[in-house]
Amino acid sequence: MGTLYIDDQPVEFQPGDNVLDAAKRANIEVPYFCYHPALGAVGSCRVCAMETVPSREGEQPRTVMTCTLKAQDGMRFKFAQSDKAPGVSKTMVEFYMTRHPNDCPVCDEGGDCHLQNMTVEVGHAYRRFDGQKKTYPNQLLGPLVWNTANRCITCYRCVRFYQDYALGDDFGAMGSRNNVLFRRIDDGAFDSPFAGNIITVCPTGTFTDKVFRRKYSRTWMLKKSASICAHCSVGCHVEPGARAGTLRRVVPNENSAVNQYFICDRGRYAPHASEAADRPLQVKVGGQPRQEPALAVLRQALAVSDARWGVMGSGREDVVTNLVLQQLAADLNAPFTAFTDPLTEVRTKTAVNLSLSAPSLQDIEASDCILVVGELTEHAPMMELAVRQALKQGKPVLMLHASASVLAGMIRKQRSLQAQTQAPVLWAETLQKLISQLTQEQADGWAALLKNAKAPVLLGVAEVMPTAVIKALAELAAVIGEHSRLGFALPAANSFGAAQVSQAGSSEQLLTSLESGAINALLVVGADPMSGWQGERWSKALAKIQHLVVVDHIHSATVQAATVVVPSAAVSERNGVFINYEGRVQSFAKAYSRETPVLLQEELIGLLSSDARARVQSQLQSMLGSAMPSPGSAGNRIKPATLPIGQVAEAVLGSGTALVLQGWHGEEEVAGFATELASLTPHDSVGIAPAYAKALGLTLDKNSRLTLSVHGKQLTLPVALSAQIAEGCVAVSRRAFAELQARLGDEVKLTAAIRLSEEPAEQPVVAQFTPVRGDHSNGGVRP
Amino acid sequence: MSLTEHEIEHLREHIAHYPEKRAGAIYCLYYVQDKYGYIPRASLDEVSELTDLSPTQLDELITFYTLLRRRPVGRRLIRICDSISCYTRGSEQVLAAAKEAVGVEFGQISRDGAVTVLPSICLGLCDRAPAGLVDDSEDLGELTPEKIRDLICSYAAETLDSKAAGGQQILAVLKDQQ
């Protein structure tokens, strides 16, 4: 804390502020381009100029760049009063505008453009240079980001974000002097899960949102709200923008306490699933559209005389909805669960019980030693971006993983011994070894790093960790000491909340009651049991029943099988409360209403008896405390009582080959329906380490294919050789798991299959934009 | 197109001299350029393996340094300075004459495969402006339109020895162009 003076006006600053930060805090409108609070100052745009006021005799006033000066007590500057500084800014902007096209009226960024604002602010209005403008070729950057190279003012923010902040390496600054272009070496989509942020950091219209382009609206005409990202358990703050009852774009809600400035591409593009052409928007009973209100149809459906009900909530539905469903189940005397897979339920609950000291993203960034178990990037990208910040500062990041992972690749590049591939069944043993090393005095290697760290952070991916590993990681945290923090990436946005409302073994109970015929009707809200881990078992069980009522906003497999379909609101279309991986309760607000009315999940409370309503209220209060956080605020963290967990059989160490999951960063139940994002889904393959293939006596190259057999099911996939896959494992996608009806850790038999053509496959230069589902010719906008 | 095991061994050895692998990138890129006359896309992947820099990061280096190039050039590469000293002494006319003599745009290979002309930033030969540089080694001073025309004609008259180093390479490139 301290005070400096700008134009004789006292300006308070915070520790770590530079002069520009302090001025912005005091609402002094200093122009700037290259500075960004997360990316730091480079002083290259020369626009944030102020003039120093000499404090000693003989000193001359100097023009300085305020972003590069650390704020110090008693500093004095002239800004508006200065004769020189505004001239410097104005001249610099004039230079930028000699090359920048005057296309604001047709530019996507127009009206929401930093360059436009600064140009107006410094008063540059007339172009004196009568030479020609330079033009540059645009590059095709895949389905998510659009490039208009002429608009670039070479502030380098994009590359500073992409390479320096997010540690990407497939996008860079090409050329020198006045011939600089920001490009990838080849056309096509970015590799980084955070590429969309270059749209946000770009102060001009050089990089714009390609999905937004196709359903464009001027940004001041968008309806916006403070919402929460529903596509992983981190719970980033986002701001959806909508118009005419359709979602147009999603941007990070800046300065949020959770994710600060950025979101991942899944968070930015997955919400467009709400505009999928096949989204259910019509109440249907037995395939026939109905005109009655959704709630009336639901009430009618639930009143069928011969039905014995089961109720299913979900980790992607909010806390209140799950509580309402739980009480509805109580009213109907029906079993209730918010999970589709018993194994995931047990793992999630075990992880939630141990998440009481979970680190925030800022804690992770500031940590001096991080241990990651599982492929974090592919499950919780923003959590991994925080890990990258520690990695960038040279802090040790240790990783145990079983399939190919972006983070592991980065760690290996720096220090090859700090990322280890190992089959998940062996992780517990490795962690136990670390624990015994830590309890004995002579710790070395990983144990020493963890022991000597001041703020160690342990992170796990609950979905892929056997329960024993989750417990071992917690034990490790306890052995390291109270200063360590332990957190888990959970399977869905509200998994923490879903765990609070489900009884021990609830999903197994519901499933067996269906299978035994004890119940013959199921109400499903916001879940897709038929395509999850137990998809086949659910499909068989649900095929037998007469009443399957599904409330959802995606055209999921379960919706397709339903007897009654009730369309519900997507997250940006409703209010609600999520609990993130830290136990942070965050509420989100509705940005817009659809033209065709859909069921708002909060209306479901209308199905309850008055007793049940009171129970919901009291439970909500005991769970979340009295004060509900307001949308956009960081919310408060709850520390719930320990959950009862129940039992489930885990995979055991066998002599054969185990199946592990190969995820990718754009993958999630709803995200699969966002056309543009889903078009980047990697082709299915079976990942295997070359050394392990050799040990099995398989001679493989990039044209080989392998046939996988699990429990009599067979699937043939092309081989992806990667040293990042653990010995004793092969890695396949969720789709392949579903096809094989397999579970994580199942044993698989491998046989060589017919090779692909001997000719090496031609690599397409441009990533083909092939919509995987639905018609996208009108950009997903409904006519 | 790929580097031989022997060549890769040599580059590895060279890279080992530096505390960081990426410090050897420029050497590797020059090595590839000396071999092929330019740096083909496939070589970027090879150098990327060796130096732990991605192909894009290597391309950043190549586009920054004017002496590295990603496109094939003729048997002789003539750089003519267009910076301020040479400009005031008439480099514009020299460049125009050179372009006319090769009959193609700057940066392209003349039809007979003999010459590529490139305008260049300051070559450090201001005392002999307008100046030029042939094949990044042989300097030219006090250029005039006549002199550059004569030079280009003399290069065109050189017989193309397919057995000479790089000869096959250029023939292959020209075949591709047709």
Side-chain angles (χ1 to χ4, degrees):
Chain A
M1 280 294 287
T3 313
L4 53 82
Y5 299 87
I6 296 172
D7 295 336
D8 298 329
Q9 176 196 339
V11 171
E12 299 280 316
F13 62 83
Q14 303 293 322
D17 271 7
N18 57 43
V19 178
L20 178 61
D21 284 328
K24 274 168 52 186
R25 234 186 266 282
N27 291 323
I28 298 170
E29 296 207 339
V30 188
Y32 65 98
F33 289 122
C34 64
Y35 179 65
H36 186 288
L39 309 178
V42 288
S44 71
C45 75
R46 319 307 290 170
V47 172
C48 61
M50 285 192 200
E51 201 178 330
T52 58
V53 178
S55 58
R56 268 170 291 169
E57 210 175 318
E59 226 177 60
Q60 294 293 315
R62 289 179 304 131
T63 307
V64 291
M65 295 308 137
T66 50
C67 69
T68 58
L69 278 184
K70 201 163 175 260
Q72 280 166 13
D73 217 20
M75 282 177 143
R76 282 178 177 276
F77 298 94
K78 278 186 188 175
F79 174 55
Q81 290 173 4
S82 162
D83 298 332
K84 276 193 204 155
V88 171
S89 307
K90 191 174 171 181
T91 311
M92 285 314 298
V93 169
E94 184 171 2
F95 276 139
Y96 291 131
M97 293 304 293
T98 56
R99 157 177 159 172
H100 191 84
N102 296 356
D103 62 349
C104 302
V106 293
C107 174
D108 287 12
E109 197 88 350
D112 200 17
C113 172
H114 198 77
L115 177 65
Q116 198 179 26
N117 295 350
M118 294 301 142
T119 307
V120 173
E121 193 180 309
V122 300
H124 166 69
Y126 182 76
R127 187 172 196 265
R128 288 183 288 171
F129 176 70
D130 60 2
Q132 281 197 322
K133 288 192 177 182
K134 257 182 129 97
T135 56
Y136 298 83
N138 297 347
Q139 188 173 32
L140 293 174
L141 295 172
L144 307 181
V145 182
W146 180 256
N147 172 228
T148 315
N150 286 345
R151 295 181 186 144
C152 180
I153 59 165
T154 60
C155 70
Y156 281 71
R157 268 191 186 184
C158 51
V159 168
R160 280 158 61 213
F161 171 80
Y162 199 91
Q163 288 205 11
D164 303 349
Y165 189 88
L167 305 182
D169 65 2
D170 61 314
F171 172 77
M174 306 285 179
S176 64
R177 304 180 291 155
N178 62 342
N179 269 319
V180 179
L181 269 171
F182 297 89
R183 290 167 79 79
R184 286 164 49 80
I185 190 167
D186 303 312
D187 282 3
F190 292 101
D191 293 344
S192 171
F194 312 104
N197 289 304
I198 66 169
I199 299 164
T200 311
V201 297
C202 177
T204 75
T206 309
F207 294 103
T208 46
D209 187 329
K210 194 169 176 183
V211 181
F212 182 37
R213 257 176 96 79
R214 303 183 69 162
K215 25 187 152 176
Y216 187 68
S217 161
R218 284 296 177 192
T219 54
W220 62 85
M221 299 175 96
L222 292 174
K223 283 189 173 173
K224 299 168 188 170
S225 74
S227 189
I228 301 291
C229 177
H231 303 282
C232 85
S233 62
V234 176
C236 293
H237 289 221
V238 292
E239 186 194 78
R243 195 177 164 205
T246 53
L247 183 75
R248 304 305 176 90
R249 68 160 194 194
V250 173
V251 294
N253 204 342
E254 287 212 1
N255 288 316
S256 87
V258 173
N259 54 316
Q260 290 189 306
Y261 302 98
F262 306 119
I263 49 171
C264 68
D265 285 4
R266 193 200 293 175
R268 190 180 295 261
Y269 297 106
H272 289 281
S274 71
E275 307 310 314
D278 56 1
R279 172 174 175 182
L281 284 168
Q282 176 88 51
V283 181
K284 279 186 181 165
V285 177
Q288 295 308 310
R290 287 290 185 86
Q291 296 309 322
E292 297 106 294
L295 209 60
V297 173
L298 268 182
R299 211 173 271 137
Q300 225 172 22
L302 288 174
V304 180
S305 59
D306 63 334
R308 299 182 299 279
W309 285 96
V311 179
M312 178 182 272
S314 144
R316 62 177 162 87
E317 281 301 336
D318 82 320
V319 178
V320 184
T321 311
N322 278 312
L323 272 178
V324 167
L325 290 172
Q326 190 195 24
Q327 292 311 321
L328 179 67
D331 270 358
L332 293 167
N333 198 15
F336 168 78
T337 185
F339 292 89
T340 58
D341 172 32
L343 188 63
T344 310
E345 180 177 355
V346 166
R347 288 178 178 184
T348 306
K349 285 182 175 172
T350 313
V352 166
N353 276 343
L354 298 167
S355 288
L356 297 182
S357 70
S360 67
L361 296 191
Q362 282 87 330
D363 292 335
I364 299 171
E365 283 175 15
S367 168
D368 56 350
C369 182
I370 301 176
L371 171 64
V372 179
V373 181
E375 299 77 18
L376 193 59
T377 325
E378 289 69 23
H379 288 82
M382 282 304 287
M383 209 190 277
E384 193 257 16
L385 185 61
V387 175
R388 288 188 195 189
Q389 299 319 303
L391 186 67
K392 189 176 70 187
Q393 290 159 21
K395 304 281 160 51
V397 176
L398 315 168
M399 187 167 176
L400 261 184
H401 69 113
S403 61
S405 162
V406 180
L407 180 62
M410 278 178 184
I411 297 171
R412 280 212 177 83
K413 233 178 182 180
Q414 296 197 359
R415 298 179 209 83
S416 54
L417 292 177
Q418 298 192 346
Q420 255 187 48
T421 57
Q422 208 169 47
V425 280
L426 300 171
W427 290 349
E429 202 178 304
T430 308
L431 293 176
Q432 289 299 348
K433 255 184 222 156
L434 272 178
I435 292 167
S436 67
Q437 277 185 29
L438 275 163
T439 41
Q440 289 154 15
E441 281 309 296
Q442 71 246 28
D444 59 345
W446 284 26
L449 289 169
L450 287 165
K451 190 170 191 170
N452 299 330
K454 289 196 178 64
V457 162
L458 311 179
L459 297 172
V461 178
E463 194 178 5
V464 298
M465 289 166 85
T467 326
V469 181
I470 299 179
K471 287 180 180 154
L473 195 61
E475 209 177 309
L476 180 61
V479 169
I480 294 171
E482 294 244 312
H483 60 296
S484 69
R485 300 201 136 211
L486 169 66
F488 294 93
L490 305 174
N494 189 34
S495 285
F496 200 107
Q500 306 297 321
V501 295
S502 304
Q503 295 298 312
S506 60
S507 51
E508 183 63 39
Q509 196 203 338
L510 185 65
L511 200 43
T512 38
S513 333
L514 271 171
E515 282 164 342
S516 69
I519 57 175
N520 65 358
L522 185 66
L523 168 67
V524 180
V525 180
D528 184 12
M530 283 168 66
S531 26
W533 286 116
Q534 298 276 350
E536 190 58 27
R537 225 177 126 193
W538 281 106
S539 302
K540 274 192 197 131
L542 295 178
K544 291 194 302 191
I545 65 174
Q546 292 98 356
H547 310 287
L548 176 59
V549 181
V550 183
V551 181
D552 209 343
H553 68 277
I554 50 173
H555 192 58
S556 64
T558 314
V559 164
Q560 288 170 50
T563 48
V564 177
V565 179
V566 175
S568 66
V571 169
S572 15
E573 298 161 9
R574 55 178 283 216
N575 303 313
V577 188
F578 282 155
I579 308 180
N580 84 346
Y581 74 99
E582 302 165 84
R584 192 187 288 278
V585 182
Q586 307 192 98
S587 53
F588 51 94
K590 174 176 172 172
Y592 67 103
S593 304
R594 291 204 83 81
E595 274 171 8
T596 1
V598 290
L599 178 80
L600 297 179
Q601 281 83 335
E602 50 229 271
E603 295 171 30
L604 284 173
I605 203 160
L607 296 174
L608 296 186
S609 63
S610 55
D611 275 9
R613 278 184 218 189
R615 286 201 302 272
V616 168
Q617 283 308 332
S618 71
Q619 269 205 334
L620 202 57
Q621 202 152 63
S622 70
M623 240 172 95
L624 310 182
S626 50
M628 199 66 114
S630 62
S633 77
N636 37 329
R637 291 185 54 179
I638 53 164
K639 297 208 184 291
T642 308
L643 300 164
I645 289 171
Q647 292 291 319
V648 73
E650 294 266 5
V652 287
L653 183 59
S655 53
T657 308
L659 270 179
V660 293
L661 176 67
Q662 180 63 61
W664 81 285
H665 65 80
E667 180 177 64
E668 192 251 348
E669 210 166 273
V670 178
F673 292 83
T675 320
E676 294 83 0
L677 184 65
S679 72
L680 294 173
T681 308
H683 291 296
D684 269 340
S685 62
V686 44
I688 185 166
Y692 182 57
K694 209 170 162 191
L696 289 180
L698 294 162
T699 333
L700 302 176
D701 58 34
K702 62 178 182 174
N703 288 324
S704 309
R705 295 200 296 175
L706 279 177
T707 300
L708 312 173
S709 344
V710 186
H711 320 310
K713 290 271 171 191
Q714 286 202 336
L715 182 64
T716 300
L717 291 171
V719 165
L721 287 169
S722 162
Q724 279 206 15
I725 291 157
E727 196 191 325
C729 297
V730 289
V732 296
S733 70
R734 275 174 212 270
R735 255 186 303 187
F737 265 103
E739 196 108 341
L740 287 166
Q741 299 173 20
R743 296 196 326 169
L744 283 172
D746 273 355
E747 241 182 75
V748 60
K749 216 173 128 267
L750 301 174
T751 37
I754 302 167
R755 290 165 57 78
L756 292 167
S757 132
E758 291 294 331
E759 286 287 310
E762 277 285 323
Q763 286 293 317
V765 181
V766 185
Q768 287 295 315
F769 174 54
T770 37
V772 288
R773 49 178 22 265
D775 170 28
H776 192 73
S777 53
N778 61 353
V781 182
R782 300 185 65 78
Chain B
M1 262 187 211
S2 62
L3 294 170
T4 63
E5 256 170 57
H6 180 70
E7 287 167 331
I8 288 173
E9 195 44 48
H10 166 76
L11 292 176
R12 266 190 217 289
E13 216 167 275
H14 182 89
I15 289 167
H17 294 162
Y18 302 104
E20 276 191 69
K21 277 182 170 185
R22 59 180 183 171
I26 297 273
Y27 181 87
C28 295
L29 292 171
Y30 263 122
Y31 192 90
V32 169
Q33 179 165 295
D34 286 347
K35 184 175 175 190
Y36 301 119
Y38 72 109
I39 304 164
R41 177 68 181 86
S43 301
L44 288 183
D45 293 334
E46 288 175 319
V47 176
S48 169
E49 288 266 301
L50 292 169
T51 58
D52 273 359
L53 284 172
S54 73
T56 296
Q57 285 165 333
L58 290 170
D59 211 23
E60 286 185 293
L61 274 179
I62 297 166
T63 53
F64 184 84
Y65 292 112
T66 46
L67 296 184
L68 292 170
R69 52 183 172 266
R70 284 286 313 282
R71 279 199 234 160
V73 291
R75 211 160 62 238
R76 297 283 195 170
L77 173 66
I78 308 178
R79 293 175 191 274
I80 298 170
C81 177
D82 63 356
S83 293
I84 189 136
S85 300
C86 294
Y87 178 82
T88 55
R89 302 274 291 162
S91 68
E92 241 183 340
Q93 288 84 337
V94 177
L95 274 161
K99 189 162 143 182
E100 198 197 332
V102 290
V104 288
E105 287 295 318
F106 294 136
Q108 293 184 357
I109 305 171
S110 59
R111 291 256 170 87
D112 57 358
V115 186
T116 295
V117 176
L118 277 173
S120 170
I121 54 165
C122 186
L123 295 166
L125 300 167
C126 304
D127 57 324
R128 296 167 58 202
L133 188 68
V134 180
D135 293 345
D136 298 340
S137 58
E138 191 184 319
D139 50 337
L140 309 167
E142 290 99 21
L143 286 171
T144 59
E146 292 74 37
K147 267 196 193 172
I148 200 78
R149 240 176 258 137
D150 288 351
L151 190 71
I152 289 168
C153 290
S154 73
Y155 289 154
E158 284 173 348
T159 49
L160 181 56
D161 182 356
S162 63
K163 286 186 192 108
Q168 280 295 356
Q169 186 60 45
I170 289 169
L171 284 175
V173 167
L174 284 174
K175 218 173 185 180
D176 282 351
Q177 275 192 344
Q178 289 155 8

